[in-house]
C-alpha cells in the first residue's frame, strides 16, 4: 500500500510506499495504477520510463515541455539522495511561481508526482544517485523549455553550496522565470 500526501501545492503529491523488509532484503510496491488515478482524480497513461545516474552536485533542471508535449512525472531515487524541486509555471494559478522541495532517497523510497504545468529539477546530495521517472507524454526536444536553477525570483534553497553545483552547458543558458 502507498500513502499519498498532498504538498503545499496540492496537485503535487508525495508517495510514501509501505516498506516490507527483513534479513533477506525488502519489497515495496512502487506504483498501483488504480490507486494512483483515484488520488489524482483523472486518467493518466505513463508511456515512457527514464533513468539517469549522476555524481554529487549535479543539478538537472529546471526543465519542462511546452503544450502539447507537456509531461506529468512520477519520480523516485533508486540509489543515493537528491533534492527534488517542482515549480508551478501555470499562468493564472494561485501558486504560480511557488515551488515544492522534497528529499528523495534510497532509504525513504518516497516518490513525487509532478503534474503537467510544472518545471522540474533535482540536485544530487549523495556521492552518486540513480534517478528514475515515468512520464505521460513522449520527450520532444524541440518543445523543451527551462528556467535557470538559480533564478532570484524563485528563491529556491538547493541545500548545497553553489560552488559544488555542476550543470550542463544547456542548463547554463536557460531563461529567467519572468521571461517565460
Amino acid at each position: 500500500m502507498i500513502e499519498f500526501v498532498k504538498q503545499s501545492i496540492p496537485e503535487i503529491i508525495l508517495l510514501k510506499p509501505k516498506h516490507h523488509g527483513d534479513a533477506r532484503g525488502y519489497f515495496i510496491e512502487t506504483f498501483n495504477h488504480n490507486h494512483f488515478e483515484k488520488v489524482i482524480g483523472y486518467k493518466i497513461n505513463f508511456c515512457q520510463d527514464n533513468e539517469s545516474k549522476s555524481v554529487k552536485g549535479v543539478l538537472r533542471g529546471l526543465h519542462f515541455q511546452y503544450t502539447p508535449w507537456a509531461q506529468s512525472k512520477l519520480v523516485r531515487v533508486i540509489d543515493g539522495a537528491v533534492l527534488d524541486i517542482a515549480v508551478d509555471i501555470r499562468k493564472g494559478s494561485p501558486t504560480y511561481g511557488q515551488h515544492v522541495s522534497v528529499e528523495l532517497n534510497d532509504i525513504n523510497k518516497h516518490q513525487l508526482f509532478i503534474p503537467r504545468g510544472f518545471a522540474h529539477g533535482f540536485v544530487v546530495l549523495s556521492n552518486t544517485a540513480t534517478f528514475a521517472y515515468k512520464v505521460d507524454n513522449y520527450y520532444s526536444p524541440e518543445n523543451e523549455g527551462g528556467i535557470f536553477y538559480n533564478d532570484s525570483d524563485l528563491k529556491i534553497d538547493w541545500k548545497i553550496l553553489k560552488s559544488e553545483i555542476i550543470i550542463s552547458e544547456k542548463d547554463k543558458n536557460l531563461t529567467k522565470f519572468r521571461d517565460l
Side-chain angles (χ1 to χ4, degrees):
M1 196 66 166
I2 300 172
E3 178 185 358
F4 296 86
V5 181
K6 292 187 178 198
Q7 300 300 287
S8 59
I9 301 173
E11 296 87 350
I12 298 177
I13 302 170
L14 184 68
L15 287 72
K16 297 180 174 182
K18 183 158 176 74
H19 191 269
H20 305 278
D22 59 26
R24 301 169 298 154
Y26 71 88
F27 172 84
I28 58 172
E29 178 183 280
T30 61
F31 182 73
N32 180 306
H33 196 256
N34 290 334
H35 292 145
F36 189 78
E37 283 186 347
K38 284 179 187 171
V39 170
I40 66 171
Y42 55 89
K43 297 261 182 218
I44 194 159
N45 180 28
F46 289 116
C47 60
Q48 183 175 318
D49 283 3
N50 302 311
E51 181 176 305
S52 68
K53 185 167 186 170
S54 305
V55 298
K56 184 175 184 171
V58 167
L59 192 149
R60 297 181 185 268
L62 296 157
H63 301 145
F64 61 90
Q65 289 199 167
Y66 291 99
T67 303
W69 295 99
Q71 297 176 321
S72 295
K73 297 178 181 179
L74 180 60
V75 301
R76 68 188 180 109
V77 170
I78 296 170
D79 184 52
V82 307
L83 183 69
D84 201 72
I85 305 287
V87 178
D88 189 347
I89 59 171
R90 301 170 298 166
K91 295 200 173 164
S93 164
T95 56
Y96 180 72
Q98 295 178 27
H99 67 277
V100 168
S101 172
V102 176
E103 183 173 333
L104 305 175
N105 61 55
D106 59 1
I107 296 171
N108 67 28
K109 300 291 184 188
H110 293 171
Q111 300 175 66
L112 197 63
F113 174 65
I114 304 150
R116 294 178 183 199
F118 288 81
H120 173 255
F122 67 90
V123 66
V124 177
L125 304 174
S126 53
N127 287 333
T128 62
T130 304
F131 188 85
Y133 53 105
K134 298 178 170 307
V135 295
D136 71 343
N137 208 350
Y138 295 103
Y139 175 66
S140 174
E142 57 277 355
N143 291 289
E144 185 176 36
I147 303 165
F148 187 63
Y149 82 95
N150 202 21
D151 189 306
S152 60
D153 289 338
L154 299 178
K155 298 177 179 62
I156 297 172
D157 179 359
W158 288 95
K159 309 283 188 212
I160 191 168
L161 295 174
K162 188 175 178 183
S163 62
E164 294 180 323
I165 291 177
I166 304 164
I167 61 173
S168 70
E169 286 302 314
K170 179 177 88 172
D171 286 357
K172 287 178 184 175
N173 297 308
L174 294 177
T175 189
K176 290 184 178 247
F177 178 71
R178 69 175 74 128
D179 295 334
L180 283 182

